[in-house]
C-alpha cells in the first residue's frame, strides 16, 4: 500500500518506503558510485529490527550512545521540548511556527537528536576505528570521485 500521511504530525510505518526499494532498479553497481538516500537509512533501520528483534533506536542506544557516553544523544521526541530549535513556515503573509514532524516519518533516516559535544565524540570514534573496523570504515566511504560527480541526491 501507499504511504498516506495526515499532515506532518501523522504517524506512519517504514514498510512502504522499504517496499519501493525492492521494486526500484539500483542506479549503479555497489561500490562504483555514491548517492545519498534517506530510503537507505529507512531500510537499514528495518533490517536492524528484523535481525535483532529490537527497535533500531534501542540498538543504536545500546551499541553506540551508551558505549561512547553520548549523554545528549537520544531518539528525538514526538513533541518539541524547551531547548530544541523551532522552525517557522510562511502561511499567507505571516511566519508561523511550523507544525512538529511525527518522528515515525523520518524513522531511522533522521530521528536522533544530539549536541555538538556528542557529535564531536561520535565523529572522533567513527574516524579512529572505535566503532568500525578499518576495513568496514573504508567500505563506508564513497568512491574517491563521487563528490566531484555530484553524487548527492538530496
Amino acid at each position: 500500500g501507499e504511504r498516506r500521511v495526515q499532515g506532518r504530525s501523522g504517524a506512519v510505518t517504514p514498510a512502504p518506503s522499504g517496499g519501493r526499494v525492492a521494486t526500484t532498479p539500483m542506479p549503479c553497481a555497489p561500490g562504483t558510485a555514491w548517492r545519498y538516500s534517506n530510503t537507505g537509512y529507512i531500510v537499514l533501520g528495518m533490517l536492524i529490527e528484523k535481525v535483532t528483534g529490537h527497535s533500531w533506536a534501542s540498538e543504536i542506544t545500546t551499541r553506540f550512545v551508551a558505549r561512547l557516553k553520548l549523554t545528549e544523544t537520544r531518539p528525538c521526541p514526538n513533541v518539541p521540548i524547551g531547548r530544541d530549535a523551532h522552525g517557522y513556515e510562511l502561511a499567507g503573509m505571516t511566519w508561523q511556527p511550523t507544525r512538529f514532524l511525527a518522528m515515525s516519518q523520518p524513522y531511522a533516516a533522521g530521528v536522533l537528536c544530539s549536541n555538538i559535544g556528542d557529535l564531536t565524540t561520535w565523529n572522533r570514534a567513527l574516524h579512529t576505528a572505535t566503532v568500525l573496523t578499518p576495513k568496514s570504515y573504508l567500505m563506508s566511504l564513497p568512491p574517491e570521485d563521487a563528490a566531484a560527480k555530484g553524487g548527492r541526491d538530496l
Side-chain angles (χ1 to χ4, degrees):
E2 217 170 282
R3 185 178 188 167
R4 299 199 186 276
V5 179
Q6 298 297 320
R8 292 170 51 99
S9 59
V12 297
T13 62
S17 289
R20 280 193 299 274
V21 170
T23 59
T24 303
M26 295 285 288
C28 58
T32 62
W34 178 78
R35 293 181 69 110
Y36 179 84
S37 170
N38 279 347
T39 304
Y41 290 99
I42 291 169
V43 171
L44 177 61
M46 294 169 64
L47 181 64
I48 289 169
E49 291 181 355
K50 183 76 170 174
V51 169
T52 67
H54 303 116
S55 74
W56 72 268
S58 69
E59 287 296 319
I60 296 299
T61 299
T62 301
R63 294 171 185 258
F64 302 109
V65 173
R67 195 177 85 177
L68 296 172
K69 297 179 177 58
L70 304 176
T71 58
E72 295 296 323
T73 301
R74 66 203 181 285
C76 299
N78 278 315
V79 295
I81 57 175
R83 64 184 189 171
D84 288 347
H86 298 275
Y88 289 84
E89 59 189 344
L90 193 57
M93 298 296 289
T94 61
W95 288 98
Q96 297 181 359
T98 192
R99 292 164 292 165
F100 201 69
L101 179 68
M103 292 296 105
S104 63
Q105 291 185 26
Y107 183 61
V111 184
L112 286 179
C113 290
S114 194
N115 69 6
I116 193 67
D118 279 7
L119 289 174
T120 301
T121 300
W122 168 255
N123 197 45
R124 187 176 303 117
L126 180 63
H127 296 289
T128 59
T130 302
V131 295
L132 294 173
T133 65
K135 181 179 178 181
S136 291
Y137 174 74
L138 290 174
M139 289 175 61
S140 75
L141 299 175
E144 279 187 42
D145 61 348
K149 291 181 180 176
R152 300 185 103 192
D153 186 15
L154 301 175

